[in-house]
Amino acid sequence: MTPNFTLAELTHTNHRTLDNTPNDAETANLQRLAEFLEQVKEVLGGKPIMVNSAFRSKAVNDSVGSKDTSQHRLGCAADIRVPGMTPDAVVRAVIAAGLPVDQIIREFDAWTHLSVTNTPDGTPRRQALIIDKAGTRPFA
């Protein structure tokens, strides 16, 4: 898809018995997501970005207990880890760079959720949140 992000990486799942093949619209969204992740990589000084999860078919999404409204279902979101950086540092760098992020979420202080808009012509919400045992709140 891009120099550093493949379709296989963005559709990988540990649920090997479940189909996780995106349709054409989801693949187009994954292309936009991969291009966005390239921008994030550049902002982070070229550090490696490890994708924990990106596209999730309904079956995969249900198996991990996520909501049907998750942007992962559309191919618009990725959960990432960046070796040598805390999720807070990733969030702060992306916000400081002014990238057109739809949502950026520090989740459980273990990974960073990033998303692009659900449609190519959408306006990014630039929503920054924290999700952990205490609930959901604005990133501060």
Side-chain angles (χ1 to χ4, degrees), residues 68-97:
D68 280 339
T69 56
S70 169
Q71 288 181 289
H72 289 277
R73 287 281 297 110
L74 303 173
C76 292
D79 294 337
I80 66 167
R81 290 175 294 110
V82 180
M85 290 186 78
T86 65
D88 267 358
V90 173
V91 171
R92 291 186 196 291
V94 171
I95 291 171

Side-chain angles (χ1 to χ4, degrees), residues 14-19:
N14 290 332
H15 300 277
R16 301 198 194 295
T17 60
L18 302 176
D19 182 27

Side-chain angles (χ1 to χ4, degrees), residues 13-138:
T13 179
N14 290 332
H15 300 277
R16 301 198 194 295
T17 60
L18 302 176
D19 182 27
N20 202 43
T21 305
N23 64 29
D24 290 345
E26 294 158 347
T27 300
N29 286 338
L30 285 167
Q31 180 66 46
R32 290 188 305 113
L33 180 63
E35 290 166 5
F36 181 73
L37 290 171
E38 291 289 352
Q39 293 176 45
V40 172
K41 185 174 179 68
E42 186 175 320
V43 163
L44 301 180
K47 290 186 182 340
I49 292 177
M50 315 300 288
V51 177
N52 297 343
S53 176
F55 175 73
R56 295 183 198 143
S57 66
K58 176 155 178 47
V60 170
N61 200 59
D62 288 351
S63 75
V64 300
S66 189
K67 297 177 183 176
D68 280 339
T69 56
S70 169
Q71 288 181 289
H72 289 277
R73 287 281 297 110
L74 303 173
C76 292
D79 294 337
I80 66 167
R81 290 175 294 110
V82 180
M85 290 186 78
T86 65
D88 267 358
V90 173
V91 171
R92 291 186 196 291
V94 171
I95 291 171
L99 293 182
V101 66
D102 190 55
Q103 277 190 322
I104 187 163
I105 307 171
R106 184 192 82 196
E107 293 195 45
F108 301 96
D109 208 22
W111 66 85
T112 307
H113 168 99
L114 296 163
S115 68
V116 295
T117 58
N118 291 351
T119 60
D121 58 350
T123 301
R125 293 177 287 174
R126 299 181 186 271
Q127 188 175 46
L129 301 169
I130 295 171
I131 296 176
D132 58 21
K133 292 177 185 175
T136 302
R137 61 193 178 279

